[in-house]
């Protein structure tokens, strides 16, 4: 079973590359950002709670996202593997994911970390905001906060996975195809 964690700052291209990985490897896609936006669109209590954090570029509480992932994993027992996109984002989330996957004997295969310089991230997010309608992509200060939150709370996960020999840095600058080819090489070596 191939269980990939796609990692990188907001705007690194995780969603775009996830699409390619799903097609190439037949994996199930679990994006906490998409799941949360679905909850908001359906006006569920969970969605309403999450929105307050997302609008400000803050992380949604661990208990909320961990519970959501747990439900999805339990509902998809016949998957060939998963691609985790935007999750885990904190050490507590990574520990919870390890626990869930190790219980099933299907641990994380590797964490693929897309590396992109900050100026490029901001430009990509503002550009996406023009077409996606995502309000968190349209406000400079929210974007700035998301990148800061990433550096503070999410970046430590590199060390978490490196300690398990599962961290792989991928150059996230260049064309979509070039980056996809780099990911493929890294997956071959897992
Ligand atoms: P991006 O990678 O561009 O920030 P996402 O769709 O992954 O986009 O996330 C959007 C927002 O959803 C985040 O800023 C955060 O508020 C919330 N979110 C998504 N995933 C998580 C998570 N694993 N833990 C906490 N909050 C999350």
């Amino acid at each position: 079973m191939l269980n990939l964690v796609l990692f990188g700052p907001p705007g690194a291209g995780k969603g775009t590359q996830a699409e390619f990985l799903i097609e190439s490897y037949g994996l199930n896609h679990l994006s906490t950002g998409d799941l949360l936006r679905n909850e908001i669109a359906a006006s569920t209590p969970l969605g309403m709670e999450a929105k307050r954090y997302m609008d400000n570029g803050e992380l949604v509480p661990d208990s909320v996202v961990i519970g959501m992932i747990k439900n999805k994993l339990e509902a998809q027992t016949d998957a060939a593997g998963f691609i985790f996109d935007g999750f885990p984002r904190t050490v507590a989330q990574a520990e919870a994911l390890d626990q869930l996957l190790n219980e099933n004997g299907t641990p994380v295969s590797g964490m693929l970390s897309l590396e992109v310089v900050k100026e490029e991230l901001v430009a990509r997010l503002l550009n996406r905001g023009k077409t996606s309608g995502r309000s968190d992509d349209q406000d400079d200060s929210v974007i700035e906060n998301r990148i800061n939150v990433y550096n503070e709370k999410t970046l430590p996960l590199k060390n978490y996975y490196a300690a398990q020999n599962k961290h792989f840095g991928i150059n996230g600058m260049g064309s979509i195809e070039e980056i996809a080819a780099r990911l493929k090489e890294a997956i071959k070596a897992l």
Side-chain angles (χ1 to χ4, degrees), residues 72-134:
K72 293 289 165 188
L73 282 176
E74 285 169 358
Q76 301 178 44
T77 46
D78 56 351
F82 290 94
I83 172 145
F84 297 94
D85 164 3
F87 178 92
R89 254 174 157 101
T90 62
V91 171
Q93 292 179 18
E95 288 170 349
L97 181 63
D98 272 350
Q99 201 182 339
L100 284 170
L101 293 178
N102 291 342
E103 265 171 24
N104 301 332
T106 57
V108 168
S109 313
M111 182 246 226
L112 306 171
S113 175
L114 292 171
E115 290 163 355
V116 176
V117 297
K118 187 176 170 192
E119 298 69 44
E120 173 75 8
L121 295 175
V122 176
R124 286 186 192 177
L125 290 171
L126 286 171
N127 198 34
R128 181 169 79 184
K130 284 184 204 151
T131 51
S132 71
R134 270 181 62 172

Side-chain angles (χ1 to χ4, degrees), residues 35-51:
L35 293 171
L36 291 167
R37 280 185 290 276
N38 290 344
E39 297 283 338
I40 294 174
S43 298
T44 64
L46 191 157
M48 293 303 98
E49 194 201 345
K51 188 174 188 313

Side-chain angles (χ1 to χ4, degrees), residues 10-11 14 32-33 36-37 54 58-60 65 86-87 89 93 125 128 134 136 146:
K14 297 186 294 287
T32 39
L36 291 167
R37 280 185 290 276
M54 292 168 76
E58 294 294 330
L59 292 182
V60 174
V65 284
F87 178 92
R89 254 174 157 101
Q93 292 179 18
L125 290 171
R128 181 169 79 184
R134 270 181 62 172
D136 62 346
R146 282 157 66 201

Side-chain angles (χ1 to χ4, degrees), residues 55 126 134-144 146:
D55 283 348
L126 286 171
R134 270 181 62 172
S135 57
D136 62 346
D137 285 343
Q138 292 174 21
D139 183 306
D140 287 314
S141 65
V142 174
I143 289 178
E144 186 75 28
R146 282 157 66 201

